[in-house]
Amino acid sequence: MIDDELWSAIGDPTRRRMLDLLLADGGGTATSLSDQLPVTRQAVAKHLGVLDRAGLVHSAPSGRERRYTVDDQQLARAIGQLTDVTATWDRRLQRIKRIAEAIEQRKGEKS
């Protein structure tokens, strides 16, 4: 079953980039992320809130800021869901292909 809140959070390109940065750096703050992104610190903080509500990141106090890290289990859950969706669509597309081939074969037999 697809988690809409999770996929809504991941669906935004800025949030995906933030996850990439957090994974590459082992974590970060709103300030450190805003230094690497073309958005303000306030926008980064709002995006981090969305990621936090979706369970994709966790935060802990770090001086005057909060340090964010990616939740590996929730990310693995998202990957699992994506794998399931991919498999479902692969099956559907194969079925469509078989139907189209059967239609073409019948057209060839009538000629």
Side-chain angles (χ1 to χ4, degrees), residues 25-97:
D25 298 340
T29 63
T31 300
S32 69
L33 290 168
S34 67
D35 290 343
Q36 301 176 70
L37 295 166
V39 294
T40 65
R41 186 198 173 287
Q42 290 79 12
V44 167
K46 288 181 180 182
H47 283 298
L48 286 168
V50 172
L51 292 171
D52 188 36
R53 284 188 298 281
L56 286 161
V57 297
H58 295 292
S59 67
S62 177
R64 294 186 339 199
E65 291 197 79
R66 299 196 67 76
R67 182 165 180 78
Y68 290 84
T69 55
V70 175
D71 182 300
D72 294 335
Q73 287 182 328
Q74 188 71 329
L75 187 58
R77 185 169 160 252
I79 291 167
Q81 287 180 9
L82 184 57
T83 301
D84 290 346
V85 168
T86 300
T88 298
W89 276 103
D90 283 346
R91 287 189 303 273
R92 288 175 182 169
L93 291 171
Q94 285 301 315
R95 183 163 184 239
I96 291 168
K97 180 182 175 188

